[in-house]
Amino acid sequence: MGRHSRKGPKSSGPDIEAATADAGADREAVRPVPGTGRRRRSVEAPAGSDGHTPFQQTGHVRGGHPEQREPGGGWGTGLQQLHRGDDHRPGARPTAQQQAAAGRQQSTGTRPLVPGPRREFVDAFDAPPAPPAPPAPRGPSIPPPRPADPSTSVGERDEQPPGGGTDGPAPAKDGKGAKGRTFTGIAAAAVTTVLAVVVAGQVTQDNGGGTTSAQPSGVDRLGPDGASRSDDRPTPEPVRAKPLSYAQKMAKAYPLAPELKASGKFEAVPGTAKAPGRGHRYRYRIDVEKGLGLDAALFARAVQETLNDDRSWAHDGAMTFERVSTDDPDFVITLASPGTTGEWCMKSGLDTTEDNVSCDSAATERVMINAYRWAQGSSTFGPDKLFAYRQMLINHEVGHRLGHDHVSCGTRGALAPVMQQQTKSLNIDGIKCRPNAWVYPPS
């Protein structure tokens, strides 16, 4: 135990002896309430043989430091009686006021009275309840620890509550204070565990632990070697639309105005197509008016395949048709605008402008196919039978060149003859027939 360095006048011997005898008789120990720690010289105490003046009724403080507490604690200034079995710490140094009070009590021969509560504690219970505090922000928070008092010993700091124990009564170890401290410790440990789990998850995310963080727009994602990850991926090939088949093209409508008058100049479709049959051979050329914007190759293929079909004029090997691109064909099948078609048909005395139809200009070498009808079809066939209508248009006009005149349907509901004017109507003299594209349709 360390020595106290406090010195002062001697106290009277009888007072000390009386206080000692009174304490021994009741087997009680008077514990002074810790004070402010200020030094006062109002009471004299006898000095020892070595010049040291000890305090009365106190032991030595562990570590050689005085215990510093607010005068009176939570129950006012004065001496408190601690019975046997009370939880007290020996060695606390009494203040000068406590020494003076002890002297007065010893001189009068009365026992120290238990002091009443301090006024501010009584007012705290009588005051109306405070309004509820505003809700705290979400998220766990841990209050920062208060610095330890350097003047207290290690053992005392372990026993001090979190608030330091200087502004109120010391909480009982077995009361609500101990439970509160236990609950606070458990809550702090739980919050610390949650924070540790959150931090560990964030570290795992940052280190590529199975999650992908959002990348800012316009920033390349780089691989370990600094190159963009897209460099390792194959470059996707551009999507190419599948070309339409011949049948699909023949069933598709194309835009063209019914009153169009194009350039009036023609251009022969290059190339040839051999006659497939063994009958009489007809040689023809195909001309297309410039400026139409239609597929000339599609038109040329349609003419060759239609005329040489067994359902057409080449039926049963009667004749065959060959496409040429020279200047000496038997006739020229011409695809022209409505205006140009009308001019060439008028040369043979035929008016095609009334119903915007085609014709065989017999006075000339041209079989005129109206480009509007080729592109848009006719209401008699409808938009879903454009393929068949175009085959009928070729067979009908070439039939005129082969010497066949118009023929009307004679049986209601039967297929219309290919030489009937099916572009104009399928109902002739009250007999309505069905549309038909072939000279020899299948039975």
Side-chain angles (χ1 to χ4, degrees), residues 105-296:
Q105 292 172 0
Q106 292 172 3
S107 62
T108 58
T110 60
R111 290 189 177 185
L113 301 177
V114 178
R118 287 165 54 177
R119 184 62 188 172
E120 54 267 27
F121 282 83
V122 177
D123 294 340
F125 288 97
D126 296 338
R138 294 184 177 180
S141 60
I142 302 176
R146 295 187 179 183
D149 188 357
S151 63
T152 60
S153 64
V154 176
E156 292 173 341
R157 286 199 297 269
D158 295 340
E159 296 175 357
Q160 291 289 339
T166 59
D167 296 334
K173 287 188 176 180
D174 297 332
K176 295 182 178 180
K179 295 181 179 180
R181 288 194 301 272
T182 303
F183 178 76
T184 303
I186 294 174
V191 170
T192 304
T193 304
V194 172
L195 290 177
V197 173
V198 172
V199 171
Q202 291 178 349
V203 171
T204 303
Q205 266 191 337
D206 295 340
N207 293 336
T211 58
T212 305
S213 57
Q215 295 289 341
S217 177
V219 178
D220 291 337
R221 294 176 293 179
L222 302 180
D225 55 353
S228 175
R229 290 191 297 172
S230 61
D231 294 343
D232 300 333
R233 301 174 183 175
T235 302
E237 297 182 359
V239 179
R240 297 179 180 179
K242 185 178 180 179
L244 297 178
S245 64
Y246 168 73
Q248 290 173 332
K249 291 179 181 179
M250 287 291 288
K252 180 181 178 182
Y254 301 97
L256 199 140
E259 67 278 0
L260 175 64
K261 174 66 169 67
S263 62
K265 297 180 179 180
F266 305 107
E267 184 176 21
V269 176
T272 60
K274 296 295 183 179
R278 62 181 184 275
H280 180 77
R281 185 180 63 174
Y282 288 93
R283 301 171 72 245
Y284 71 95
R285 188 182 77 228
I286 291 181
D287 287 355
V288 176
E289 186 178 9
K290 294 181 180 179
L292 287 180
L294 295 176
D295 190 345

Side-chain angles (χ1 to χ4, degrees), residues 333-359:
I333 301 176
T334 306
L335 182 65
S337 64
T340 303
T341 298
E343 291 180 353
W344 280 87
C345 290
M346 187 60 65
K347 294 180 179 181
S348 299
L350 302 174
D351 185 8
T352 59
T353 59
E354 182 178 354
D355 295 311
N356 215 357
V357 292
S358 303
C359 80

Side-chain angles (χ1 to χ4, degrees), residues 67-112:
E67 184 177 5
Q68 298 181 0
R69 294 181 180 273
E70 181 180 356
W75 298 96
T77 304
L79 296 177
Q80 300 182 9
Q81 298 183 20
L82 300 177
H83 299 280
R84 187 180 358 175
D86 290 347
D87 184 14
H88 65 278
R89 293 184 294 274
R93 178 179 295 177
T95 62
Q97 294 178 354
Q98 295 170 353
Q99 295 180 24
R104 288 194 298 271
Q105 292 172 0
Q106 292 172 3
S107 62
T108 58
T110 60
R111 290 189 177 185

Side-chain angles (χ1 to χ4, degrees), residues 28 44 53 95 172 193 195 206 216 238 246 364 391 393 423:
E28 295 177 350
E44 294 182 358
T53 305
T95 62
T193 304
L195 290 177
D206 295 340
Y246 168 73
T364 69
Q391 291 171 324
L393 192 59
T423 298

